[in-house]
Amino acid sequence: MSSTSSSRVDLRDHVQDQDLSEEYLSSSSRDYSAGSSPLTTPALSDEEFDFDVPSEDALFAPTQAPADGSEKYIMVIGGLGYIGSHTTLELLREGHNVIVVDNLSNSYKTVLKNVRMLAAHHCKVNNTPMPRLRFFRIDYRSKAMHVLLERYSNLVMTVDATSGKQVVSYQSRIAGVIHFAAYKSVVESIQQPLRYYRNNVCGLVNLLQELERFNIRNFIFSSSATVYGSKANAGLPLKEEDLIHHQVKTQNEAGETTIVEPTIEGLSCPYARTKYFGEAILADVAEADPDWRIVALRYFNPVGCDPSGVLGESPRGEPTNLFPVLTQVLKGDRSNLNVFGSDWPTRDGTAIRDFIHVLDVARGHIAALNWNSKKGNGFSTFNLGSGTGTTVLEAVRSLEQAAGREIPLALVDRRPGDVGMCVASTERAAKELGWSTRESITKCAADLWNYVSKVALRS
Ligand code: UD1
């Protein structure tokens, strides 16, 4: 689309400041997942918005230029969850203005204050201006999302390249969207498949439509190594091309063509299928409209936390992932760790995973965002993993070392749906994104213990 701008209407005038109600902070989170569809939610009320982070402008006034309506933002949906909060923090540390959208269904408002505090500290130490951080406590599937996107858009007059006619369209100040807001429990997804499909799949489709309306087509999607399904059991590092969504044709030097058809194998639960469907939908969207630049990041096993010990993983409800369960044991909330399976064909009989420090995952998002802005083209996938396999027992030992105490274990049966080995091939991310992990499992364990001993033990 050509962009000869002859007039500009600032839509911020249409949303009054009272829409940002700090009072709503203390009221309970609105759960759109339970009752009526978010799409039937009544029109926007003051309650939909939560609050702007008020004090950073005051704190950093001397170095922060006043907003003039031209500043760009990265929108982080689900930006206060475990990976979301670390990514928000890294974005701020890298100087990006951030809009966080989160309904606090699996996170806490204190996380926002901690992110802000850590980012402010970083900026102070490095003598850099504190970027803008805006928070909206809304469900990304609610109608409030439309108003929010409108708020960050300008109406511009452009000339249509083919017809030569003048058209009015939205130009967003949101330069990219990172979408974390999804449910991720395997067990829950088996019990409540429709809830998972409604959020992880229907929610994604509606979000993409909204983004298209506002001409936002730079999108990073939280995917998972779970999309490889039972291909993981081959015992080899998983390559991105092990799961493709469209036919791939290649030609060798002799002119011979090879055609690879997409195949999926052994997706073990509704959660895994939501991630697969999410990717497939995104691949189709990018195929249909070449203006989209979409990256799906396939996370292996994110663990650890910011070394400050201020941010960590604190899911609401019963944790099922290894490190959150280990945290419970260390805090004394659980007597022992049940090790699911000690008869896998691995060096100690326990399953092998590719544990990756959450800060590396966060940096992976920034690398993907930068790559997507400059070189992105259609739909792309990247593994976010270290390439190193660690057994469950080795992971436990690293945490025991960090904590200086033994973790009681019970060896029990394999967990249904588990795979014996799941390790990333890291080649594509290293070559294309220029990204690879910096931290070891030892560092993951040390940072987690730091968080547990500093914060979690006190709560
Ligand atoms: C799981 C999901 C995966 C999802 C990821 C993040 C399954 C089969 N896969 O990955 O789709 O993307 O979480 O939510 O659940 N373990 C124990 N005891 C425990 C907990 C875990 O021994 O109490 C073992 C597991 O059996 C596994 C390893 O630790 O071998 C890692 O488990 P977990 O942290 O749940 O991650 P994944 O299973 O790899």
Side-chain angles (χ1 to χ4, degrees), residues 347-408:
R347 46 190 175 265
D348 61 20
T350 63
I352 288 181
R353 290 292 182 274
D354 185 335
F355 297 101
I356 165 174
H357 198 291
V358 69
L359 274 188
D360 278 327
V361 176
R363 292 178 196 124
H365 285 78
I366 295 169
L369 204 56
N370 291 339
W371 178 87
N372 211 25
S373 304
K374 288 183 203 130
K375 298 189 197 161
N377 177 20
F379 175 76
S380 314
T381 55
F382 293 100
N383 288 339
L384 291 188
S386 69
T388 303
T390 303
T391 68
V392 170
L393 282 185
E394 287 164 355
V396 171
R397 300 290 169 244
S398 63
L399 202 48
E400 284 181 331
Q401 253 176 3
R405 63 168 131 128
E406 220 170 275
I407 295 173

Side-chain angles (χ1 to χ4, degrees), residues 184 186 224 226 271 301 320-322 325 337-340 351 353 392 415 417-418:
K184 65 156 203 166
V186 170
S224 163
T226 193
Y271 161 72
N301 287 66
T320 53
N321 291 127
L322 180 64
V325 171
L337 172 80
N338 285 328
V339 176
F340 299 134
R353 290 292 182 274
V392 170
R415 183 171 63 178
D418 266 357

Side-chain angles (χ1 to χ4, degrees), residues 33 183-198 268-274 317-320 415-416:
S33 62
Y183 300 137
K184 65 156 203 166
S185 160
V186 170
V187 176
E188 217 176 53
S189 79
I190 294 166
Q191 294 158 348
Q192 305 170 42
L194 292 179
R195 183 165 166 256
Y196 269 66
Y197 288 121
R198 195 168 57 213
S268 63
C269 63
Y271 161 72
R273 278 183 280 279
T274 68
E318 196 61 21
T320 53
R415 183 171 63 178

